[in-house]
Amino acid sequence: PAPVKKARKARMAHDGAVMDTGVGEHDGYRYRRALEGVKAGTMRPSRDGLFKGVGASPPTAKRYLEAMAAAGEIVPNPDGAGWILAGKGGAL
């Protein structure tokens, strides 16, 4: 006799829902966690730092960094590339 094939589960199409990527007061929980991590010094203000800290993709990390810079929380590093916490000297 021929082997019996298992029935496959129907695949569900995902609607492309995006994880919490907002930077606003009501839609930016992950952004607020990232900002707190940067302020506390537990997360570097960089794409890699935000990926490691809150799982932000490169485009999301870029938006987060832009929002932090626009809010005056981070400033360009005077010693070279990257960002530093506003009011701090040297890189994190």
Side-chain angles (χ1 to χ4, degrees):
V4 178
K5 289 187 177 182
K6 281 186 164 181
R8 287 188 172 185
K9 287 185 180 180
R11 292 186 180 217
M12 298 199 46
H14 295 283
D15 61 4
V18 178
M19 221 171 133
D20 176 21
T21 60
V23 295
E25 181 180 339
H26 300 292
D27 65 348
Y29 175 71
R30 190 165 59 151
Y31 168 74
R32 291 189 303 273
R33 283 190 357 237
L35 180 58
E36 288 304 314
V38 167
K39 286 181 174 181
T42 59
M43 206 176 300
R44 289 184 42 217
S46 66
R47 287 183 186 176
D48 286 343
L50 295 176
F51 174 75
K52 290 175 186 171
V54 294
S57 67
T60 299
K62 182 179 181 210
R63 274 203 337 273
Y64 287 1
L65 292 170
E66 289 170 351
M68 289 179 198
E73 299 289 350
I74 59 174
V75 294
N77 186 349
D79 295 335
W83 298 94
I84 59 169
L85 197 56
K88 300 281 184 186
L92 290 176

